[in-house]
Amino acid sequence: MRRALYLAQRGLGSVSTNPMVGSVITHNDKIIGEGFHQEYGKLHAEVNAIQSVKQRELLSDSTMYVNLEPCSHHGKTPPCADLIIQNSIKRVVIGTTDTYSEVSGRGVEKLKSAGVDVKVGVLEKECRFLNRRFFTYNEKKRPYIILKWAETADGFLDKLRTPNSNEKPQWITNDESRVLVHRWRTEEDSILIGSNTALLDNPYLNVRFTSGRNPQRIVLDQQGNLPHNLNVFNETQPTILFTTQPNNYNKLDIVVEQIDIETSLQKILHRLYSLKIQSVIVEGGLQVLNSFIEQDLWDEARRFIGLRNFGNGVIAPKISAEHNEHIFVGNSSLYLYFNNQMS
């Protein structure tokens, strides 16, 4: 099962809104086949694992390990449960059940009804944690939310700046952290900022320091007066703008969603769910980050602390939780927090 989890992880950033799944087939305690779900809409892990077995006659006396319950419905591909039955695999070990409404125990039941020996719940906690984005999306009907920021050693997010000051943002951490952050962007569906960050930093929100796909950009804009020449409005990657003044952006090639001042984050997140966005990195600024924290609408927080001191400025957000991990990225500290961790 640990091998299946390792394989499944390789699909991170490529399979959303599907789950990450790995599968291993053994015969007489030796691996004879394995595979993982590589890309959304393409073959599932179980199919790739079965196709990798050179001696197909061994399948009828083999065990399949898979970190998530095999599907039992026709989606982009045929049901994996049917393929397992057709190949007469006699035993299937499953990490965790699939709570997606189209599966939700039906795969296990189909296998058992066909006489397959099924065991469920092996490394279940690890299997649910791996697919925490998928489970949150399907169970809470909203994207998985990752808060991310960097703060100075003396606790500041930024210097005090205004759009008119033309002062560029100060880099707080190091090159290693920058590469890591861009790798994270390749792993998630979208990246979200507020209008202040769009104006002050004029970020691209793309991937430049590693290889991989660009996330969709999401901008929250209550004023409705952002300049059309901002980098977040270029055509290099999709942008979704939530704004009180949608008519101001008719000439832009972006998705515009109308909100009002009272529109809740919950409603915005539900709209992102309906747009099939499974995960969001929230990169601030302070007002946006605090909104998610105050409403307890976050699943992970990734907090860098650099060596620089600003002396004064924008005070960094505070999370009333103990960190789960502390690692060093170059000479910067990275604290990881998990809210309502999957179990």
Side-chain angles (χ1 to χ4, degrees):
M1 188 60 72
R2 292 196 185 280
R3 176 64 180 172
L5 284 167
Y6 168 79
L7 292 168
Q9 177 75 25
R10 295 175 64 184
L12 181 59
S14 301
V15 300
S16 176
T17 55
N18 282 350
M20 293 176 280
V21 183
S23 180
V24 176
I25 300 172
T26 65
H27 180 264
N28 291 338
D29 295 326
K30 292 184 179 180
I31 294 177
I32 61 170
E34 61 183 28
F36 67 98
H37 184 33
Q38 299 178 20
E39 188 176 337
Y40 178 79
K42 294 191 176 180
L43 297 178
H44 287 189
E46 299 93 325
V47 181
N48 287 325
I50 289 172
Q51 290 185 354
S52 75
V53 176
K54 294 180 180 178
Q55 295 177 276
R56 294 292 181 91
E57 66 275 9
L58 298 179
L59 287 172
S60 60
D61 192 34
S62 296
T63 299
M64 172 179 283
Y65 295 83
V66 61
N67 61 291
L68 188 70
E69 176 183 6
C71 62
S72 57
H73 67 292
H74 283 270
K76 296 284 185 180
T77 60
C80 291
D82 289 357
L83 185 67
I84 293 168
I85 294 167
Q86 291 164 11
N87 281 274
S88 303
I89 296 174
K90 69 175 186 178
R91 186 167 184 257
V92 176
V93 180
I94 298 168
T96 185
T97 54
D98 186 345
T99 56
Y100 175 51
S101 59
E102 293 292 334
V103 184
S104 194
R106 295 183 182 89
V108 170
E109 185 57 38
K110 180 175 280 193
L111 292 172
K112 286 183 175 179
S113 297
V116 179
D117 178 12
V118 180
K119 180 177 177 61
V120 182
V122 176
L123 297 182
E124 183 171 15
K125 183 177 181 179
E126 292 88 340
C127 291
R128 278 189 60 84
F129 182 73
L130 174 72
N131 274 311
R132 56 198 182 275
R133 298 164 181 82
F134 173 79
F135 285 117
T136 297
Y137 178 79
N138 285 291
E139 293 171 7
K140 296 185 178 181
K141 310 302 180 189
R142 65 161 174 81
Y144 187 83
I145 300 163
I146 301 167
L147 308 182
K148 173 262 165 184
W149 73 89
E151 63 185 79
T152 60
D154 55 351
F156 293 101
L157 193 70
D158 195 0
K159 292 188 174 182
L160 295 173
R161 297 184 291 140
T162 65
N164 295 328
S165 67
N166 293 321
E167 187 176 357
K168 293 184 178 181
Q170 300 289 313
W171 190 252
I172 292 173
T173 54
N174 51 43
D175 289 342
E176 295 95 329
S177 300
R178 185 179 298 191
V179 172
L180 177 59
V181 166
H182 280 241
R183 193 190 79 196
W184 287 343
R185 290 180 179 181
T186 71
E187 297 172 350
E188 310 304 334
D189 285 356
S190 64
I191 183 169
L192 182 150
I193 61 171
S195 55
N196 283 341
T197 299
L199 281 169
L200 291 174
D201 297 353
N202 194 20
Y204 287 92
L205 303 181
N206 60 6
V207 175
R208 301 186 300 281
F209 303 114
T210 187
S211 60
R213 66 169 184 172
N214 288 319
Q216 290 194 62
R217 299 173 294 204
I218 302 168
V219 181
L220 304 185
D221 168 34
Q222 290 191 333
Q223 302 303 316
N225 58 2
L226 291 175
H228 289 195
N229 62 350
L230 291 178
N231 292 325
V232 291
F233 296 142
N234 66 28
E235 298 180 4
T236 60
Q237 66 205 82
T239 295
I240 303 171
L241 176 69
F242 288 87
T243 181
T244 55
Q245 304 295 330
N247 292 336
N248 290 353
Y249 301 99
N250 286 339
K251 295 181 180 180
L252 293 175
D253 187 18
I254 61 173
V255 175
V256 179
E257 298 282 339
Q258 182 166 10
I259 58 172
D260 54 44
I261 298 298
E262 271 70 54
T263 299
S264 67
L265 278 180
Q266 286 277 16
K267 287 185 177 180
I268 291 172
L269 293 175
H270 188 72
R271 179 57 182 152
L272 294 178
Y273 166 82
S274 70
L275 293 171
K276 298 190 181 301
I277 293 177
Q278 190 181 75
S279 60
V280 179
I281 299 178
V282 180
E283 287 209 359
L286 180 64
Q287 183 178 345
V288 172
L289 286 166
N290 277 340
S291 295
F292 280 91
I293 293 170
E294 290 164 4
Q295 296 180 47
D296 198 31
L297 283 172
W298 62 279
D299 301 292
E300 287 185 35
R302 301 171 181 179
R303 173 188 174 218
F304 287 99
I305 300 181
L307 298 180
R308 298 190 62 182
N309 291 287
F310 282 174
N312 57 53
V314 180
I315 297 174
K318 306 295 182 186
I319 284 187
S320 58
E322 291 294 323
H323 63 269
N324 297 81
E325 293 183 51
H326 172 211
I327 60 177
F328 288 96
V329 183
N331 59 7
S332 297
S333 288
L334 172 60
Y335 291 88
L336 302 177
Y337 303 79
F338 294 98
N339 191 20
N340 302 316
Q341 188 169 340
M342 286 287 165
S343 60

